[in-house]
Amino acid sequence: MIKVLLVDDEPLVRSGLRAILDGETGLEVVGEAGDGAEVPALAARLRPDVVLMDVRMPGIDGIQATRLLLEGNRPDGTPAGPKVLVLTTFGSDDYVYEALRCGAAGFLLKRSRPEEIIQAVRTVASGDSVVFPEAVRQLTVPGHDQAAAKLLAALSGREQDVLAELAAGRNNSEIASALYLSPETVKSHVASLLAKLRVRDRTQAVIMAYETGFIKPGARRTGG
């Protein structure tokens, strides 16, 4: 059973999400919060697997709440708390970008279809990230972080290929098919590149790739 905590200052939004998720086999809404300030205590008591987090709330917003939830990371940098899936009205919301930088596993538009919401919850609960390439491109602006560029340059050719596929929004099975690799090999490459880039998850790796210009919108890398 995947346990979900809903965080949104609009009761109507929470009711809609609860109706969608509670009606699905294997998903259970264990609690609700209308303010980010309530989240740490609720998460500690209810131990949800996934937190659906609105980013724009009065008081403590979703960015601060995400940071509070994930600040107790393990020594290797991986989150010790629940997975955070950000909810937003606009795909280009800067609040979303900051939440992803704080460790959120992905984001959803509030107008997403019920099946998309259900799949996203299952995806992040399983340890993957929800990456929407077009939206990430809108959120990120290529910069000149030389330290990050050096980390990216240190990736092997195959790891660079896998990162390019991640930036295209593909999952492990799709990457395996595109690069003629086994899913197990892809999983190994993903784990290796995350460690080399010193990032928490796929979303963070994709953000780094776009920020540094390693991946350019519309560009397509070829395997090697």
Side-chain angles (χ1 to χ4, degrees), residues 167-202:
R170 294 183 174 88
N171 60 33
N172 283 6
S173 296
E174 292 167 335
I175 295 172
S177 178
L179 299 180
Y180 304 101
L181 300 171
S182 71
E184 293 75 19
T185 299
V186 171
K187 184 176 180 180
S188 177
H189 283 313
V190 170
S192 177
L193 73 86
L194 293 182
K196 288 182 179 180
L197 296 181
R198 303 172 190 171
V199 293
R200 298 183 184 94
D201 54 36
R202 297 164 182 244

Side-chain angles (χ1 to χ4, degrees), residues 72-84:
N73 286 346
R74 302 183 182 94
D76 64 357
T78 57
K83 304 292 184 181
V84 176

Side-chain angles (χ1 to χ4, degrees), residues 137 215-221:
R137 290 169 192 161
I215 300 293
K216 295 179 175 59
R220 179 78 176 147
R221 295 179 59 88

Side-chain angles (χ1 to χ4, degrees), residues 3 14 17 33 36 59 66 69 90 92 104 106 111 125 136 139:
K3 299 186 293 184
R14 297 199 306 270
L17 289 169
T66 298
L69 272 181
F90 306 105
S92 58
R111 63 175 180 270
V136 172
L139 292 169

